[in-house]
Amino acid sequence: MIVFGVDVGGSGIKGAPVDVGTGELTGKRRRIPTPRPAAPGPVIDTIARLVDRAGWSGPVGVALPSVVQDGVVRTAANIDPSWIGVDARSELAQRLGVPVEVINDADAAGLAEVTFGAARAVDGVVLVLTFGTGIGSGVFFDGTLVPNTELGHLEFRGMEAERYAAARLVEEDDMNIEWWASRVGEYLRYLERIFWPRLFVFGGGISKRFETFSHIIETSTPVVPAGFRNLAGIIGAAYAAAGEPTEA
Ligand code: BGC
């Protein structure tokens, strides 16, 4: 089964058709810059344009940087606050005229990694973290998602953890990458004391550079880079929209 996955990020809205049995993209990945402000109307218009450009008319899965319950957006840390309370699933389904599922972006990335990627077949507790404008988290036990954990908003060193250790500090504020990685290490050690995970999966765009800073991150738990790097959100969103796991 093929589903069109969409990942709404701070700078771009990206989408591609995905084979939800294998996690592979079956067509070109397209990207349109995120409109400003990233309010519901303009973002929904952009998603519609992306789907249209791909000539797609089947089911669509959308990953948003928000807590999403039953399709309804509950938080908006890094998108326009007017999203809060919007039934994104219904609005998108109405606009696109196809079945739509909407989930949190880090949960989507985690689903891709746990099902097809770096944490495939890993039992026990796995934490998938995405480092970007904020910090997103996907918590899994034996491959099953505990949705909408917001570990980037845990208080750490007197502030929200994502203010202390998001990749935006390097990507936008020019923080030295090794200095930033030492902060990430502190944060991961804090998460270790709470969750005792078997594995950390390190995601987000900056995971492309994982080899350059991984030696700075000292944890007892293994840390591996995301297998799908920044495609994980698209793949996981498509997978979530396919409903129950399908045969590979
Ligand atoms: C949001 C999360 C999101 C993460 C990554 C955080 O600020 O609260 O819902 O997963 O950023 O985009």
Side-chain angles (χ1 to χ4, degrees), residues 103-155:
I103 66 164
N104 171 264
D105 58 358
D107 285 351
L111 280 173
E113 295 297 338
V114 162
T115 314
F116 308 111
R120 211 168 117 200
V122 178
D123 283 338
V125 174
V126 172
L127 297 194
V128 180
L129 299 168
T130 62
F131 292 82
T133 310
I135 297 177
S137 56
V139 176
F140 293 82
F141 176 67
D142 283 353
T144 300
L145 172 67
V146 179
N148 291 314
T149 56
E150 286 280 318
L151 304 185
H153 294 283
L154 279 179
E155 190 178 319

Side-chain angles (χ1 to χ4, degrees), residues 54-149:
W56 182 256
S57 56
V60 174
V62 176
L64 288 179
S66 309
V67 168
V68 182
Q69 288 178 314
D70 300 324
V72 179
V73 175
R74 300 295 184 195
T75 64
N78 293 310
I79 48 167
D80 197 78
S82 58
W83 273 99
I84 294 175
V86 169
D87 186 337
R89 183 167 64 192
S90 303
E91 300 228 349
L92 277 158
Q94 209 173 351
R95 175 63 190 271
L96 301 174
V98 296
V100 176
E101 187 54 280
V102 181
I103 66 164
N104 171 264
D105 58 358
D107 285 351
L111 280 173
E113 295 297 338
V114 162
T115 314
F116 308 111
R120 211 168 117 200
V122 178
D123 283 338
V125 174
V126 172
L127 297 194
V128 180
L129 299 168
T130 62
F131 292 82
T133 310
I135 297 177
S137 56
V139 176
F140 293 82
F141 176 67
D142 283 353
T144 300
L145 172 67
V146 179
N148 291 314
T149 56

Side-chain angles (χ1 to χ4, degrees), residues 4-16 28-36 38 42-54 234:
F4 195 83
V6 176
D7 190 7
V8 177
S11 59
I13 299 182
K14 294 143 283 180
K28 185 171 147 196
R29 169 187 172 276
R30 289 162 205 270
R31 177 184 187 278
I32 300 181
T34 306
R36 300 216 181 272
V43 169
I44 289 172
D45 284 347
T46 307
I47 295 172
R49 234 186 315 144
L50 202 63
V51 170
D52 192 51
R53 279 190 198 170
I234 293 176

